[in-house]
Amino acid sequence: MRYAEMGGTGIKVSRICVGGMSFGVPSEDFHRWTLDREATKDIIGLCFENGVNFIDTANGYSHGTSEEFIGCALRELEIPCEDVVLASKVYYNEGKLSRKAILREIDMTLERLGTDYLDLYQVHRFDYGTPVEETMEALNELVESGKVRAIGASAMYGYQFHNMQITAERNGWARFSTMQNHYNLLYREDERELIPICRQYGVSLIPYSPLAGGHLAHTGWTSGSMRSSTDGVLADKYDRAKDNDLRIIDRVHELSLRYGVSMSQISLAWHFAKGVTAPIVGGTKKSHMEEAIASVDLRLSDDDVRYLEEPYVPHEIVGALRTMLRPTGSRGRRHLPLNG
């Protein structure tokens, strides 16, 4: 395994991060394809044995049971907390990013994970209803108290991330060290503004959906998996650009044959070529994680990268929330977590 420093924090993370959205109790209103406690432990054990020390989850994944399963796995595997880098997120909860919500949710996250502190605490989305100053001051309070070592952000517009960083900078508060954005060969819109802003601030990229929900791991569009057939949010993210994006998938397949590796290895190697610190891989099988781990040693040439990227066309923004609420069925209207 290879390692890198996370956003100037001094925290060393593996170049592959385990995605916790694959863990937890399945449910009709979140995901039906998540792994149970034993399977979660098997995945984390395999990754840890191969040098992967970075695990990302969120308070809302499987209604908190993702955090519980991860904490249980670490205890049963007897992996000390100081040997792993644990990351979680806050937003999809009552009060979103208000001070009251942040202080409440961090304690609940720590309890579910079974730890006294979190290495990385991330705002899951931008909160239009809470002043930026209130959010950043509350996050700084967590850092000063020792409950959190570093803070990060997730999918949002570039101007929002910039404003939050500037607010922290002006007040002498902790700034974001990481950006968990939506980024892969089928979705590169953040190259316009958000990623350059991250580079400006020395922020590490730890993107979610590096394999586009599995589309970049196999030929064709669907795989026949439980997720492929039941994940409506996944379809909403990618199906609109299907015809064009199949051209990119074909090129990933062609390059995988040329190198004698899997398509997922090619897709993840592209991230490393683009300067990503650690793509977040949500594998539901040991083979998925084994391929991800092997990808860190694969190097693509500049010509390879250009060949993979050439068919790309601009996409609609997916990930950053607009102010408009979106329907979620009989439970009313709220922002949808977009698989990351």
Side-chain angles (χ1 to χ4, degrees):
M1 180 49 60
R2 298 176 187 273
Y3 300 87
E5 183 179 355
M6 188 174 69
T9 62
I11 301 172
K12 294 295 180 66
V13 297
S14 52
R15 298 301 301 275
I16 293 293
C17 178
V18 181
M21 198 173 67
S22 298
F23 311 140
V25 176
S27 63
E28 292 292 334
D29 64 340
F30 193 77
H31 295 310
R32 294 167 54 190
W33 43 267
T34 50
L35 302 180
D36 63 19
R37 287 179 184 269
E38 196 62 30
T40 296
K41 184 175 73 171
D42 289 344
I43 292 288
I44 290 177
L46 169 75
C47 290
F48 189 74
E49 289 171 3
N50 284 275
V52 177
N53 72 342
F54 194 10
I55 304 173
D56 172 79
T57 184
N59 62 347
Y61 288 169
S62 295
H63 304 291
T65 59
S66 171
E67 291 179 333
E68 291 176 3
F69 284 16
I70 291 169
C72 181
L74 294 176
R75 289 190 296 274
E76 291 184 3
L77 291 167
E78 299 182 345
I79 300 175
C81 285
E82 58 268 25
D83 289 347
V84 293
V85 177
L86 289 175
S88 194
K89 298 184 281 293
V90 57
Y91 172 86
Y92 289 106
N93 45 256
E94 181 182 352
K96 295 186 173 69
L97 299 183
S98 66
R99 180 179 184 274
K100 180 179 179 181
I102 288 172
L103 298 185
R104 178 190 69 236
E105 293 297 323
I106 185 60
D107 286 340
M108 295 171 67
T109 283
L110 294 177
E111 181 178 359
R112 286 190 291 261
L113 286 168
T115 181
D116 295 328
Y117 67 92
L118 204 61
D119 296 286
L120 177 65
Y121 202 37
Q122 304 154 98
V123 296
H124 210 155
R125 291 296 188 271
F126 182 81
D127 183 0
Y128 289 90
T130 300
V132 167
E133 290 80 5
E134 179 178 342
T135 296
M136 298 308 293
E137 185 174 20
L139 292 172
N140 184 71
E141 186 176 336
L142 296 185
V143 174
E144 291 187 339
S145 71
K147 289 184 178 181
V148 170
R149 295 178 68 192
I151 59 173
S154 190
M156 60 180 63
Y157 293 103
Y159 80 91
Q160 295 168 337
F161 182 70
H162 183 262
N163 287 345
M164 297 183 88
Q165 290 287 67
I166 287 292
T167 298
E169 194 171 53
R170 287 174 177 170
N171 288 280
W173 297 332
R175 297 190 316 196
F176 294 132
S177 299
T178 62
M179 166 52 67
Q180 184 177 152
N181 60 323
H182 181 203
Y183 191 44
N184 56 57
L185 275 164
L186 304 188
Y187 186 84
R188 294 167 44 209
E189 296 309 298
D190 285 351
E191 292 178 352
R192 300 167 184 257
E193 295 182 359
L194 183 59
I195 290 176
I197 293 171
C198 290
R199 300 298 187 207
Q200 174 185 336
Y201 280 99
V203 168
S204 290
L205 299 180
I206 53 171
Y208 68 87
S209 290
L211 300 177
H215 287 309
L216 289 165
H218 55 76
T219 55
W221 194 246
T222 59
S223 66
S225 68
M226 171 71 82
R227 180 177 187 182
S228 181
S229 60
T230 64
D231 194 339
V233 178
L234 179 66
D236 185 59
K237 286 171 68 176
Y238 295 112
D239 281 7
R240 281 168 289 184
K242 172 183 174 181
D243 291 341
N244 180 80
D245 290 352
L246 280 168
R247 298 173 59 206
I248 299 173
I249 291 170
D250 287 343
R251 293 195 179 197
V252 172
H253 181 233
E254 180 185 333
L255 214 56
S256 73
L257 295 176
R258 190 187 311 169
Y259 276 90
V261 298
S262 69
M263 290 177 63
S264 63
Q265 286 172 264
I266 294 292
S267 301
L268 291 171
W270 173 83
H271 279 85
F272 301 129
K274 301 295 286 188
V276 165
T277 295
I280 299 171
V281 181
T284 54
K285 296 180 181 178
K286 287 186 176 181
S287 59
H288 296 165
M289 301 312 301
E290 288 168 344
E291 290 180 359
I293 291 165
S295 72
V296 302
D297 293 319
L298 179 60
R299 295 290 181 268
L300 300 180
S301 69
D302 291 342
D303 287 341
D304 292 333
V305 171
R306 282 190 289 268
Y307 183 68
L308 292 170
E309 293 181 349
E310 189 272 332
Y312 187 82
V313 296
H315 287 50
E316 291 186 33
I317 299 297
V318 178
L321 295 178
R322 300 175 178 85
T323 55
M324 181 178 66
L325 297 181
R326 305 180 61 189
T328 60
S330 61
R331 290 176 176 258
R333 297 171 68 87
R334 62 176 173 82
H335 289 308
L336 279 177
L338 294 179
N339 280 340

